[in-house]
Structure formats: C-alpha cells, structure tokens
Amino acid sequence: MSIFERLNRLFPVWAILFALVAMLQPSLFTGLAGQIQLLLALIMFCMGLTLSKGDFLGVVRAPLPVVVGVVLQFLIMPLVALLVSVSLGLGAELTTGMVLVGATAGGTASNVMTWLAGGRVALSVSMTLVSTLASVILTPLIAWLLVGQAVEVPVWGMLGSIAQLVLAPIAAGVVVHHFLGTQISRIESALATLAMAAIVVIIAIVVALNAGRLATLGPLVALAVIAHNGLGLAGGYWIGRLCGFDERTARTVAIEVGMQNSGLAVALANQFFTATAALPGALFSVWHNVSGSLLAGYWKRRPMSDGDAVTAAR
C-alpha cells in the first residue's frame, strides 16, 4: 500500500483534525474563504482525470440501476433534508444549507466506500457521473422548489456557477485522461490525496468562518446531519431492495444516495447565501466519511447470500 493510499484511508481523521484546528485558531483559515470555489474546481478536475470512456459506456450498458439510483438521490436526500430541518426547528439559513446538501450529486468518496463495502464500483462511478451532470440543472431547481419561499434562490446564477465549478473542470479532466490515461492511472491514489486535501481545507474554512456560532449551532446541526445521512443510507438500501436489486447493487445505491458532494453545497452556500448556510455541508463532509467507512466495514464483514453472490459474479 502506497503512502497516498494510507493517507486516503485516514480521510475522516484529517477532516476532524483540521476542523478542530479551525475551531481553535480560525484566523488560520478565514483568509482563504475566497478560495473555496477554486478548491472545488480542483476536486472536480481530479475526478475528471480518473474518468475513462468505459465509465461513460457503463451508463449505457446498465441504465436501470443508474436511473433508479439517481432518481432516489435527488428525491430522498432533498426531502429528508427539509423534513429533518423542519422537525428540529432549524432557521432559514441552516435549512437552506441542509437542502443544498440534499440537492447535490453523489460525492466522489462514495466510489471508494462502495469498493470497501463489496458493492459495484463501476455502477457507483456511473451514478456519480450522471448525478453530477444532472446537478447542473437539478440542484438550483430543487433548492428553489423547497426553500424558495423562505429565502431568495438565484437559480440562474447557481446554474452558471455549477457549470463552471463542475462541468468545465470535469470536462477538462476527461480530455486530459483521453491523452494521458496510462500515466494518470499510475498516480490515481495521489490525485485522490490531492482531492482529499482540498476537501479538508474547505471544511476548515467553513468551520473557521462559523467558529463563533459553533457552540450554539454545532450540536443541533450535527444531529441534523447525522439524521439526514442515516436516513439517506437506509432509504437508498431498502428502496433498492424493493426495486428488486441484489445485495451488491443495493449496497451501492445506499452509499451513493447517502454520501453527497457536500463540497459543492458549501461552495454554493458561501457564494449565494451565508457562511451559516455552509455549515451543514462542512459537517456533512466530515460525518458522511465517518459513517460511510463504518458501514463499509460492517458490510465487508457481512457475507452476501448465495443468490446475491451468484448475481454479483455475473
């Protein structure tokens, strides 16, 4: 195992460590607030570098699980975010941040967690790709539908920003991969480390910007984030099973639905709303990697039934 792979496995540890440093010494990170969009673009570019023609063909070869998974992604998570926010009495800013987390695409870490959980990695990559492309339209639209009456949602501004932060960097990465795919495959773990570092810095910036409010808002937002993530994972798994998917596919759908591109939610909240609205995304970035790791470890130790094992081998 390379040093980069070892670093990547400790992602939740780095996220928590940097969040604590940012909480104790916010001045170290508040000056970087203007770099959040650049850091997110870097993450998306790294993701694009790892995508090949085969990843796009995977969507065509097995469209049903991808379609069902993406529909659940943009149905369960936004509605659960709103339900949890209302149930806990969160204010308009935090509710907006929760809905933004729910309305974004699947996070890139979901692909790693799927692999650790014994899921279908190719399906996970395909779902992440499709949901990321769909988020350009769906994220601002869902945010407007669910919280547009409480706060002003700049749909067109968000749409343009997502195109710049998501589509353009991914497209650039795919183009580079087309010409340098062999060389890039040798440094994929290093690219993952670079993306991880960017996410960790984003988390630290948002925590630093909210350092003064964490004592009062932190526990409540943490509870909301844990409930949101847990319901997303459970809903993705059990609805996947109800749709007739085998165990391996259901695990993949669960992880893809429950783990969000919270970095994008943070960038959008910071650009179009407030630092407080970015807090749920920052906490979600930490927690969903912790919960994803725990769930993946549990599933890895839990054998699949004979029928599921046969289906997975096909």
Side-chain angles (χ1 to χ4, degrees):
M1 183 186 298
S2 71
I3 186 172
F4 294 112
E5 290 173 325
R6 293 180 185 275
L7 288 171
N8 297 342
R9 288 196 171 191
L10 293 174
F11 183 18
V13 176
W14 301 126
I16 294 171
L17 179 61
F18 271 71
L20 289 174
V21 171
M23 201 162 59
L24 297 173
Q25 295 292 330
S27 60
L28 293 175
F29 298 98
T30 50
L32 299 174
Q35 306 304 315
I36 289 179
Q37 292 175 311
L38 179 62
L39 290 167
L40 181 66
L42 174 63
I43 295 167
M44 292 297 103
F45 178 67
C46 290
M47 176 182 171
L49 285 174
T50 64
L51 294 175
S52 65
K53 190 188 338 182
D55 296 322
F56 291 89
L57 291 176
V59 180
V60 179
R61 293 186 184 127
L64 182 59
V66 173
V67 171
V68 171
V70 171
V71 168
L72 292 179
Q73 170 83 46
F74 288 109
L75 184 65
I76 291 177
M77 293 305 279
L79 293 177
V80 168
L82 184 60
L83 176 64
V84 169
S85 299
V86 172
S87 299
L88 293 178
L90 301 185
E93 290 179 308
L94 291 174
T95 298
T96 300
M98 289 287 294
V99 169
L100 280 175
V101 171
T104 54
T108 53
S110 64
N111 307 146
V112 178
M113 300 304 173
T114 296
W115 173 65
L116 293 175
R120 299 183 182 279
V121 178
L123 173 60
S124 177
V125 171
S126 298
M127 287 176 60
T128 301
L129 174 62
V130 173
S131 65
T132 299
L133 297 177
S135 70
V136 177
I137 301 294
L138 293 181
T139 297
L141 178 61
I142 291 172
W144 175 71
L145 287 173
L146 295 186
V147 296
Q149 293 180 342
V151 296
E152 183 180 352
V153 179
V155 176
W156 294 108
M158 287 175 64
L159 193 153
S161 182
I162 295 173
Q164 292 175 355
L165 296 174
V166 176
L167 284 188
I170 286 179
V174 170
V175 170
V176 174
H177 184 279
H178 177 73
F179 294 103
L180 300 173
T182 303
Q183 292 87 334
I184 288 171
S185 64
R186 297 174 188 155
I187 60 168
E188 278 199 16
S189 58
L191 290 173
T193 302
L194 180 60
M196 178 193 72
I199 294 174
V200 167
V201 173
I202 289 174
I203 292 169
I205 293 170
V206 175
V207 169
L209 291 173
N210 288 281
R213 292 180 285 264
L214 279 174
T216 53
L217 295 179
L220 186 62
V221 178
L223 177 61
V225 163
I226 291 171
H228 185 203
N229 172 243
L231 290 170
L233 292 169
Y237 177 81
W238 289 111
I239 295 177
R241 291 299 270 173
L242 288 174
C243 289
F245 294 154
D246 61 76
E247 176 71 16
R248 201 175 175 201
T249 300
R251 292 181 184 184
T252 304
V253 172
I255 292 172
E256 197 66 30
V257 170
M259 298 188 68
Q260 301 293 89
N261 185 353
S262 44
L264 175 59
V266 167
L268 293 175
N270 194 62
Q271 181 180 358
F272 294 104
F273 301 101
T274 64
T276 300
L279 185 56
L283 294 183
F284 198 99
S285 292
V286 177
W287 174 252
H288 80 161
N289 283 289
V290 174
S291 66
S293 300
L294 293 173
L295 182 60
Y298 168 75
W299 270 338
K300 192 70 174 177
R301 295 189 300 271
R302 185 169 178 263
M304 289 180 280
S305 65
D306 292 340
D308 287 328
V310 170
T311 305
R314 289 176 181 170

